[in-house]
Amino acid sequence: MSKLIGDENKMGKTLGVLLFILLITFGCSSNSPVIQEKPEDSNMKNHSVGNTSEVDEAEEKAEEVKKDEQRQGINELALEVSGKVYGDSSQFSEYVSGVKTRMDTKEKVISLTLDACGGEFGSGYDEKLISFLIENNIKADLFVNARWIDAQYEAFLELSQNPLFTIQNHGTKHKPLSTSPRSAWGIASTSTKEEIIGEIMDNQLKIYDITGTIPKYFRSGTAFYDEISVQIAEDLGVQIVNFDVIGDGGATFTKQEVVQEMLKAQPGSIIILHMNQPESETAEGVKEAVASLIEQGFSFVHLQDYELE
């Protein structure tokens, strides 16, 4: 009898252990259910991924087609202008007929235009000046030469993506524009219509290929032109923009001279400065002058925000 009771007790314990194991197993499987993916669900995911990839590819193709059309348009415009007949010129200076020198407004706004000239002695990068503008949220229009782009490509790319700045055209070889041989500040000008077209449009295409944006404004090397080259530029779709305030004298002014000249700005003024001479005192002068102009109630805008005169 006692042996039977002992056997019953052993069986009871065994059953209890088995039940406990079953409960644990059931509990774990309940908390971590295994869901079988239906074949159609898998197909849907793959189809979705495929669609995304196809959409991206289609968008890239559309963008490339658009770029090709724009390039073709630039080249066709150059070809069209090369077939036009222009008269003889009688003027050659920074202020010939058709050159824009200020914004047509009475508002207390100023455009800072920064030239990057390129070449053996002009391919530096004034990071101190640019950093000041960025840190203080100051807008500027950057007139960039093709040679400077080649020398400072990464900096150019970064600047072109910053909404504080617009990228404008400062020529391919930094030449004054003229339909006959002339010179300004010791730099030989273009001497034919074809040279003028190349000086403008080669850099126009270069900037477009890198940034996807076609510049609206052009300033030649030395900012000298004859009046015929200004007509040619307008036919090529750009406005010639100079200035009414010479801010740093080609990056040769002292800090105090920069301040003195910049403070001559009036409502609608366009100031010329240089961003390619980091050893100059331009940056220090700009810092002081900008602070004073802001205190006087001026703000800084892009050229495209106003009509030019």
Side-chain angles (χ1 to χ4, degrees):
M1 183 72 175
S2 59
K3 184 177 183 301
L4 182 59
I5 292 172
D7 291 340
E8 287 177 352
N9 288 337
K10 286 179 182 180
M11 287 178 65
K13 288 178 180 179
T14 301
L15 286 171
V17 170
L18 288 172
L19 285 171
F20 179 75
I21 291 171
L22 286 171
L23 285 170
I24 293 296
T25 303
F26 179 76
C28 291
S29 62
S30 297
N31 290 331
S32 306
V34 177
I35 300 174
Q36 295 295 327
E37 189 177 73
K38 295 179 183 179
E40 57 267 28
D41 292 341
S42 178
N43 290 337
M44 286 284 286
K45 287 181 182 178
N46 291 335
H47 183 64
S48 176
V49 171
N51 279 347
T52 302
S53 178
E54 288 170 10
V55 168
D56 290 344
E57 187 176 341
E59 287 178 351
E60 286 177 8
K61 286 182 178 177
E63 186 64 28
E64 193 55 43
V65 167
K66 180 183 176 182
K67 273 198 166 186
D68 286 341
E69 289 175 349
Q70 289 279 26
R71 289 189 197 99
Q72 184 178 349
I74 292 171
N75 289 325
E76 287 178 353
L77 184 57
L79 187 62
E80 178 187 332
V81 173
S82 70
K84 290 188 175 184
V85 177
Y86 296 88
D88 296 328
S89 67
S90 59
Q91 305 175 41
F92 184 67
S93 77
E94 296 165 301
Y95 303 103
V96 300
S97 303
V99 171
K100 312 298 183 184
T101 59
R102 52 177 290 106
M103 296 176 287
D104 184 13
T105 181
K106 301 297 183 185
E107 297 176 29
K108 296 189 78 171
V109 293
I110 294 169
S111 171
L112 296 181
T113 64
L114 277 55
D115 285 6
C117 306
E120 184 179 357
F121 303 108
S123 290
Y125 176 38
D126 196 339
E127 292 186 63
K128 188 161 58 173
L129 172 59
I130 295 298
S131 294
F132 167 76
L133 297 178
I134 293 172
E135 289 165 7
N136 292 276
N137 203 37
I138 305 295
K139 295 178 180 179
D141 296 290
L142 312 183
F143 284 78
V144 184
N145 182 262
R147 302 171 306 171
W148 193 88
I149 294 173
D150 292 337
Q152 300 285 351
Y153 184 82
E154 293 302 324
F156 172 74
L157 196 60
E158 187 175 339
L159 291 170
S160 72
Q161 295 167 350
N162 190 321
L164 282 176
F165 308 124
T166 75
I167 302 298
Q168 306 303 334
N169 190 340
H170 194 35
T172 304
K173 298 180 180 179
H174 198 254
K175 291 187 174 186
L177 296 190
S178 175
T179 50
S180 60
R182 292 182 168 108
S183 68
W185 302 106
I187 299 176
S189 72
T190 59
S191 57
T192 66
K193 176 178 60 179
E194 287 69 31
E195 274 192 272
I196 292 168
I197 293 171
E199 180 67 13
I200 296 172
M201 297 304 269
D202 287 353
N203 197 37
Q204 196 82 335
L205 189 58
K206 187 184 191 77
I207 291 172
Y208 174 70
D209 280 340
I210 297 171
T211 68
T213 301
I214 300 174
K216 294 177 61 176
Y217 308 113
F218 179 88
R219 178 180 293 151
S220 72
T222 74
F224 269 67
Y225 320 82
D226 67 10
E227 75 277 22
I228 303 302
S229 65
V230 176
Q231 293 177 32
I232 292 171
E234 290 175 350
D235 289 343
L236 290 170
V238 292
Q239 292 186 62
I240 300 290
V241 177
N242 275 3
F243 37 80
D244 64 340
V245 176
I246 298 175
D248 65 353
T252 64
F253 287 174
T254 65
K255 172 186 173 180
Q256 288 309 314
E257 287 173 328
V258 172
V259 174
Q260 176 183 310
E261 294 306 309
M262 287 185 65
L263 292 184
K264 293 178 180 178
Q266 300 295 317
S269 278
I270 298 173
I271 301 177
I272 180 175
L273 298 158
H274 290 76
M275 55 176 277
N276 63 309
Q277 299 290 349
E279 71 283 356
S280 73
E281 296 185 29
T282 295
E284 293 305 317
V286 168
K287 288 179 184 180
E288 186 172 322
V290 164
S292 294
L293 289 166
I294 290 174
E295 284 181 6
Q296 294 175 32
F298 283 96
S299 59
F300 298 90
V301 299
H302 290 143
L303 293 168
Q304 64 192 15
D305 296 335
Y306 294 85
E307 292 293 323
L308 305 182
E309 60 179 11

